[in-house]
Amino acid sequence: FAVLIETYMGKGSLEIDFLSLLNGNFAVAAVLISFGGLIGKISPMQITVLTLVELLCYCANKVFFLKQYESSPLIADCGGTIIIHVFGAYFGLCACKVLGPPKDDKLNASSYTSDIFSLVGTVFLWLFWPSFVAGALPSGAGQTTALINTVLALLASSVATFALTPIIENGKLTTVPIQNATLAGGVSIGATANLVGPFGALVIGGCAGLLSTVGFTKSPFFGDVDTCGISNLHGMPGIFGGLVSIAVPFMYHGTGLVPAHQAIGLAGTLVVACVTGTCTGFILKAVGTPEDAFTDETFWAECDDKGIAKQ
């Protein structure tokens, strides 16, 4: 759906090539980010509505406001810091706010086994994040720079997370920041991955890791409605990365970035995401929210640990 919609909006035709498929994957990433705030609280029908509506809004913002298909786009954002992460996070968070907190969140918890498996997912995301950031760039020096800087930013956010978490958590490493904040450098570096130097990438990644770790340990924003902490991994690091893209032209020459355009793109995307996310939240509420949150029993036939189906 995203491949067809974005291709038609951007090209006025349905010519599908490799970049069309890549852009379709980027679009779905925005929906997955939003779903992170809503997971466990909405029904399959609501998930379907969320996907269709958000993909339309995401593609329209990217094509018509950010002008990513024109010869002179409004903003530069090779890794989707603003286009994907900021939009997806605040679209989802506003929808969460409209739906409100669940009546009962006692099942919103993890186990030792689920934590271990989730860390496997973190490793996969960490390894593939550089290709996500640099994949849409033309091959050459710019793409190589983006790949290297993304790895450096991820390394810096990982070090910052492992260093800060024990300080905040009474000398202990806790799972949630390690699962998430180690990836924050990849979020923040996206807008400038092909433009800054190695030191800049380390600073950006380190600051993103610190910001995200504080978010996951203190939950300063949206903690009552944000299931997976998308504000802490995608929202705040995304805004930080957008602000960095505004400052980079003053520190690096020849980047081609226009600070005013980057600022307009960041602020405008934030507004579009909040408005469309809020409207989508009301649509989801009208569709109907399940009474019981964070349980599969409402829509799935579950088995116990011995493989015997529950009645």
Side-chain angles (χ1 to χ4, degrees), residues 122-133 146-162 180-189 201-206 208-209 233:
T122 298
V123 171
F124 274 103
L125 284 169
W126 205 104
L127 292 172
F128 285 109
W129 211 292
S131 60
F132 180 88
V133 170
L147 287 168
I148 294 171
N149 281 339
T150 304
V151 172
L152 292 174
L154 288 166
L155 287 169
S157 62
S158 298
V159 171
T161 302
F162 275 92
N180 296 279
T182 50
L183 302 168
V187 174
S188 294
I189 195 64
L202 289 171
V203 171
I204 293 168
L233 177 56

Side-chain angles (χ1 to χ4, degrees), residues 15-228:
E15 289 183 26
I16 296 174
D17 52 21
F18 175 73
L19 278 179
S20 301
L21 299 178
L22 199 59
N23 285 322
N25 284 326
F26 292 155
V28 171
V31 178
L32 290 174
I33 292 167
S34 299
F35 182 54
L38 294 159
I39 190 170
K41 299 178 292 187
I42 59 176
S43 67
M45 178 58 71
Q46 287 175 304
I47 294 171
T48 303
V49 172
L50 170 75
T51 303
L52 295 176
V53 174
E54 182 169 2
L55 286 176
L56 282 170
C57 298
Y58 165 89
C59 293
N61 181 67
K62 180 179 178 180
V63 174
F64 300 123
F65 177 62
L66 299 179
K67 302 178 181 178
Q68 293 300 293
Y69 280 78
E70 295 189 9
S71 56
S72 298
L74 177 65
I75 64 169
D77 187 11
C78 69
T81 295
I82 298 170
I83 298 171
I84 300 170
H85 295 283
V86 170
F87 183 91
Y90 289 99
F91 185 100
L93 289 169
C94 288
C96 288
K97 272 295 186 184
V98 172
L99 291 176
K103 294 179 181 178
D104 186 357
D105 64 351
K106 65 182 179 181
L107 294 177
N108 184 19
S110 61
S111 67
Y112 180 82
T113 302
S114 67
D115 279 345
I116 292 297
F117 271 100
S118 70
L119 289 172
V120 174
T122 298
V123 171
F124 274 103
L125 284 169
W126 205 104
L127 292 172
F128 285 109
W129 211 292
S131 60
F132 180 88
V133 170
L137 290 170
S139 59
Q143 187 181 64
T144 302
T145 299
L147 287 168
I148 294 171
N149 281 339
T150 304
V151 172
L152 292 174
L154 288 166
L155 287 169
S157 62
S158 298
V159 171
T161 302
F162 275 92
L164 184 60
T165 301
I167 296 173
I168 298 176
E169 299 286 15
N170 300 315
K172 298 282 188 178
L173 288 170
T174 52
T175 309
V176 172
I178 305 304
Q179 286 171 340
N180 296 279
T182 50
L183 302 168
V187 174
S188 294
I189 195 64
T192 54
N194 57 329
L195 302 173
V196 300
F199 180 74
L202 289 171
V203 171
I204 293 168
C207 291
L210 295 174
L211 180 66
S212 185
T213 301
V214 171
F216 277 107
T217 54
K218 301 298 183 182
S219 298
F221 306 111
F222 302 100
D224 58 331
V225 295
D226 184 2
T227 302
C228 292

Side-chain angles (χ1 to χ4, degrees), residues 192-295:
T192 54
N194 57 329
L195 302 173
V196 300
F199 180 74
L202 289 171
V203 171
I204 293 168
C207 291
L210 295 174
L211 180 66
S212 185
T213 301
V214 171
F216 277 107
T217 54
K218 301 298 183 182
S219 298
F221 306 111
F222 302 100
D224 58 331
V225 295
D226 184 2
T227 302
C228 292
I230 59 174
S231 171
N232 307 318
L233 177 56
H234 303 279
M236 294 191 296
I239 289 179
F240 171 68
L243 294 174
V244 168
S245 73
I246 298 170
V248 158
F250 299 105
M251 297 180 285
Y252 292 87
H253 298 293
T255 61
L257 294 179
V258 180
H261 289 180
Q262 295 294 128
I264 292 169
L266 175 61
T269 295
L270 196 56
V271 170
V272 172
C274 289
V275 171
T276 55
T278 300
C279 294
T280 303
F282 284 110
I283 296 172
L284 296 179
K285 183 178 279 191
V287 171
T289 304
E291 286 292 323
D292 298 323
F294 308 111
T295 177

